[in-house]
Amino acid sequence: MTLTGIVVAGTLRALSAQKKFYARQARILAARHAMRATATILSAELRETSSSGGDVYTIGVDSLAIRSTVGFGVACAVNVGAGTLALTVTSGHFRLETADSILVYVENGLTDADDTWTALPVFGISPTGPSCAWGNSADLQLTVGGSLAGTWVGAPVRFFRPYAYGIFEMNGTYWLGRRNRASAIYVPVAGPLAPPSQGGLELTYYDYQTRLPTLDPGRIGRVDVTVRSPTYRSLSDPDYKEMSTSVYLRN
């Protein structure tokens, strides 16, 4: 009985140690997943962004506000007088919300010197509208503010929404959140992350010409993203893992 008790006690200690080891590994994997998700989301958004084109509104050490592309289409009919634009070959999400806008490629003349991307607010979206220039039905018709002069049939159109990304607290934990720039309410998209005091999210911006750190939203060429997430050795004593990546903007 004594020997049996010794064997059982040793087995229980081994099982307890193994359980703690696997629990620790699970927490580390969860932290790595949170960091990878955060870095992937921010990287995907930043790669589509042009600071020189005005896509970056504001920047901070743990937040930024940018134009986020949510849809794409090709202009197939343009009515400059009515301010309407029919689209075909559409993809993504076209729905009318506050501050929705488009970037339309304005060709103007035959040379490249006067070509530009123009931002226009969207006032209306209709699933029906005029036919395309070649007779096929359009996918959507947009009513926009501003002038469509110089926009040719075949022009690419990007549908975007101003989003802000940043770290925020929810129920005692910190998350990467996203919100409409006009709103103050974040929606969690990845986490949990370390609190700001522990560097849960750190963003460093570099000038696209000098390659030195910059605080000018119009001159960013690269963003270094550092993310930290807790692994929780205990609820009162979290240990943090760290992940870093560099992202180059479209410009």
Side-chain angles (χ1 to χ4, degrees):
M1 291 177 64
T2 301
L3 289 175
T4 300
I6 293 173
V7 171
V8 170
T11 302
L12 290 175
R13 280 197 298 269
L15 290 175
S16 178
Q18 191 175 48
K19 180 180 179 180
K20 291 180 180 178
F21 171 78
Y22 283 119
R24 168 73 171 166
Q25 291 301 109
R27 291 194 297 269
I28 291 175
L29 290 175
R32 289 176 177 170
H33 175 75
M35 293 186 294
R36 280 196 299 269
T38 300
T40 298
I41 290 168
L42 291 176
S43 297
E45 290 283 16
L46 288 169
R47 288 192 189 100
E48 295 293 326
T49 301
S50 170
S51 63
S52 60
D55 290 346
V56 183
Y57 300 112
T58 60
I59 57 176
V61 294
D62 58 8
S63 64
L64 76 167
I66 58 175
R67 287 175 179 161
S68 180
T69 300
V70 294
F72 179 82
V74 176
C76 67
V78 182
N79 189 325
V80 176
T84 59
L85 189 67
L87 300 182
T88 189
V89 197
T90 57
S91 61
H93 303 284
F94 287 82
R95 64 179 185 272
L96 193 61
E97 293 188 10
T98 302
D100 281 354
S101 306
I102 60 169
L103 284 173
V104 58
Y105 191 73
V106 180
E107 190 79 24
N108 288 311
L110 295 175
T111 66
D112 296 338
D114 56 1
D115 297 349
T116 183
W117 284 93
T118 300
L120 300 171
V122 178
F123 297 143
I125 301 176
S126 173
T128 60
S131 298
C132 295
W134 50 87
N136 291 0
S137 297
D139 295 340
L140 293 170
Q141 177 178 266
L142 307 181
T143 302
V144 302
S147 175
L148 289 169
T151 304
W152 295 7
V153 169
V157 177
R158 294 169 57 203
F159 196 76
F160 72 86
R161 189 167 295 133
Y163 278 133
Y165 287 89
I167 189 170
F168 79 107
E169 183 181 3
M170 183 178 68
N171 298 328
T173 57
Y174 290 86
W175 300 78
L176 173 69
R178 186 181 76 175
R179 60 177 173 82
N180 285 335
R181 190 180 175 215
S183 171
I185 301 175
Y186 276 109
V187 175
V189 293
L193 303 178
S197 61
Q198 298 294 328
L201 176 63
E202 294 180 349
L203 303 172
T204 308
Y205 310 91
Y206 294 89
D207 189 283
Y208 60 80
Q209 287 185 331
T210 66
R211 300 183 182 179
L212 296 175
T214 182
L215 297 177
D216 185 348
R219 296 193 58 84
I220 301 170
R222 189 187 93 210
V223 181
D224 285 358
V225 181
T226 300
V227 188
R228 294 183 180 89
S229 183
T231 59
Y232 291 110
R233 291 176 296 188
S234 69
L235 291 178
S236 60
D237 184 22
D239 183 27
Y240 298 106
K241 294 297 180 182
E242 179 180 311
M243 176 180 293
S244 297
T245 188
S246 294
V247 188
Y248 288 86
L249 275 61
R250 176 173 59 84
N251 281 345

